[in-house]
Amino acid sequence: MPDPQDLTLDRLLTGLPRDAKGRPLIGNVALLRKIGAGGMGAVYLGRQEKLARDVAVKILPFTLLESDPTLESRFVGEARLAASLESEHVVRVFDVGCEHRTHFYVMEFVPGESVGGLLKRHAKEGRPGMTEGAALRVAIGAARGLADAHDRGIVHRDVKPDNILIPEGNIDAAKIADLGLAKPHGGGQTFGTMSGVAMGTPGYMAPEQAEDAKTVGPAADVFAMGATLYTMVTGRPPFAGQSLIAIIRATAGEEPTPVPDTVSSGLRWVIDRCLRKQPSDRFRDGRQLLEALEKVRENPQAMKAPAPRPTPRPAGPIAVSSIPAAAVPRRRIIIAGISGAVVLLFLAVYAFQGRTSRPSDSGESPLSAAPEDPRPSRAEELFAGAAGLEKENRFEEARDQVNAAVALGLDRDKARIALDRLDAAIADGKAGALRADAFASRWEAAQAARTAADARDTEESWKKAMEAGARAREMASDADLPRVAALEAEAKQRAGWARAKTLDADGRAAEALVEAKRAAAEGPDNAELAAWIARTSSSLEAATTLAERKRRFAEASARADAEPDPASALVLWEAALQLADTELDRLHAGERIRALTRQMQDSDRARLYDAAIQEGDAAVAAQDFDRAEKRFRDALALRDGDAVATARLKDLAVQRARRDLADATARLESARNAKDWPGLQRAAEQILAVRPEDPGALTALAEAKQRQFSITPVEKGNRVEVVLDAANGVKLEFVTLKPVQITIFDGAGVSKRVKITKEFAIMTTEVTQEQWNSILGGNRSHFPGARHPVDSVTWYDVQDFLWKLNERLDGWTAALPTDAQWQYACRGGGKGEKYGFGDDETMLGEHAWMSENSQGMAHDVGLKKPNGLGLFDMHGNAWEWCWDAYVELGEIRETTDPAESVWGKDRLLHGGGSNASPADCRTAFRTRNQPHGVLWE
């Protein structure tokens, strides 16, 4: 496994400069080692030397950015979103930027471990989970961070144990991390919502998030916090399954195994409410959850434990997107080849609308016609750059850049229009900033007034909150109005409710009800106000004379004592308790209620136990082993150590093993026949899990590993052979080339003397379709054929092919050839400048498939004559990708092992295709294509 501190082969860091110690540098941060990776990039430990502090740096893959330019604004938006949270319980963001076409942001580095890491460590030590006290303290810290995020209108969308950090063992200082999926509540699509990126973590994301992650609100984070808290106190996730789909279905349609009775009733109540399937049944947001957790800390038995609830069924199918696992680069180097030369590719194609014109002898790109002088002046470059800054609302920087362009000769009239527009934008921005500052100050005052009113809960304090909201409204933008309106509506409603409470305290219950109902009708939905109205109405109806209350209590308690059914008696005693007027009556009713509750709980547990055993037996008969296991474990949870449930689980394990063994045996043969080597390995491992010494499975496992992993190149003199599929004779062959000093050319007659200082090996043919399928699969070539060169692949596709190949190579690394390496190999030891065999164009047909002899199609590789090094099809048959970005040869300054930065827009192509003219097939002819473009001719 690669050393995480060795960043020399990290593809995300290829274009970064190095400091004196050889460490990659970005944003004045020296990167030390990789500490994490995900679908949207990787995170590195870095050092800010000037500030003498360690930081974490997140970097976005350049391939994602170039394939979807809109990601740039989303990446910056994610960082700004995170930076806007100034909370002690949220990982801080310090900086965001782009250097060397690499997008990054710098975050607070939190030494310590995650809750997920702590739980794994506890599990290895044989003590799963955490103590209730520790879990509650961690949850309160994380809930504070979540509450701060929700107060700013931000939904995290990926709360889980791995995203809660414990700084150096201080569990009270727990922090929410990784806002990679965060979004403004009510906003549009954000950085984490694009195709192929996880929308949360199965087992922790709420049912509504699995169906549509872009529209979820704070209640989704509440669900995830509940699932995380469940995991902390039990040592296992609340929802499990053998696949992602199974986990998400369980989340939507099943109830988790009840939290053990050893956990306080208050914490069980909190977890139960968090894990409700409907968002409206959970805590409203992180702030309300935090309040509940703090009440539990003050009194663990403050709330009543949840009663068992029926298992709901999901309303419909749930969509899930998968995320490909990241490949790991290997060490050392060989330039392998996909296309006629060393590593790879050839391609051919112009996959745009129709087919573009053939490259001309002048060196014009085959993909687009360029102006006579395609390079803009420095003044024009600055002016174009200013337009980009203006789009990012960086108006003052844009104005400075336009002025610089004028100083370099830009037309003043052209610049004046832009400068007038920028000056107006700057003026508007300053006015807007003043208004925004005024609003921020007034909004802060309004929030403070709302907090004070919530604490005092008086009509006067809520009216002050309304007045503060009205002052904030005067400076609010359109985007700010909804939250201001929400604060004013809440304050108005709570003022009416406070007035009702005052009337009720004065014995004017009827008037209080009128005021409370008016407040409920005119304001937002308020479950607590509705409950207060219901209680007050009931009290008003029941409040008669003292004598009447005593008489009614006596009648109610007599009916309750006479009722033989415990459930009915419990209802009657609870009603009698509401009529009790003396302490003695209340104590008597309370004791009867507790006794009946214990009796009911015992009865319910017995009923639930019987139902679990019966449903488990039915599931076994239907071969639904997952359901059976869950119900038997439910029974065991209801009767700890129960012999019947334990025996059922043992029998179930035997039946499951038999079924899995039969299924795995059938899959093993099917995978072998289909040459599905990963599938063969999985089937063999499943068999060995049941039968560790099964000879057939051991043989199949060895065969699968041999076929799909660990290939050792074999060196024979100046030749290197890589066997991909021995059974079908699929292999790669290379020729080793020594260091050399040569002159390279372009199609316009420009030359450059360069030195290649490292030995490398180049493939003897273009990569064929059978070779491509053996490594990566997914062949979509325009000219199908096992021995035909693979075509219609992008430069990025080639990187995927190389990545997979390098995972299997032992001691070598495959890569695309540079411009210099390709020209060196193409010459083949020949003395001519035009072709690898010399300068006689009449001999080209003996060495190449081109427009004059190909009949417009690709042919098997290796049918024409090789060059002096034994390399085939260096001319014609299929265009070949190189590593370099396309730049004019005269602009290349580095003459030792030149490899122009890969961060250029277009990539270099050589060799010509089946429809290329003789001139296009020349060694010196250089052309280009976008890295996501494809070629097939």
Side-chain angles (χ1 to χ4, degrees), residues 132-171:
E132 178 177 342
L136 185 58
R137 290 164 65 188
V138 169
I140 288 174
R144 284 175 178 156
L146 204 60
D148 291 338
H150 290 171
D151 287 348
R152 296 297 302 273
I154 298 170
V155 182
H156 188 289
R157 296 195 302 175
D158 197 24
V159 177
K160 59 184 177 182
D162 288 339
N163 280 344
I164 298 177
L165 305 183
I166 303 175
E168 298 181 316
N170 184 2
I171 59 178

Side-chain angles (χ1 to χ4, degrees), residues 429-483:
K430 290 180 178 178
L434 292 173
R435 184 181 180 89
D437 289 343
F439 172 75
S441 176
R442 294 187 181 188
W443 175 244
E444 183 177 357
Q447 289 180 304
R450 186 247 176 239
T451 302
D454 197 31
R456 298 186 181 93
D457 198 22
T458 64
E459 181 180 2
E460 182 180 358
S461 64
W462 282 113
K463 284 183 176 179
K464 289 181 179 180
M466 289 170 60
E467 293 169 357
R471 287 192 293 273
R473 175 187 289 274
E474 294 173 356
M475 291 297 174
S477 65
D478 291 342
D480 296 324
L481 284 175
R483 53 176 171 162

Side-chain angles (χ1 to χ4, degrees), residues 755-772:
K755 182 185 293 185
I756 298 174
T757 66
K758 299 177 182 178
E759 182 181 81
F760 64 96
I762 189 159
M763 216 169 139
T764 58
T765 70
E766 297 163 325
V767 171
T768 66
Q769 293 173 37
E770 64 181 2
Q771 292 165 345
W772 182 275

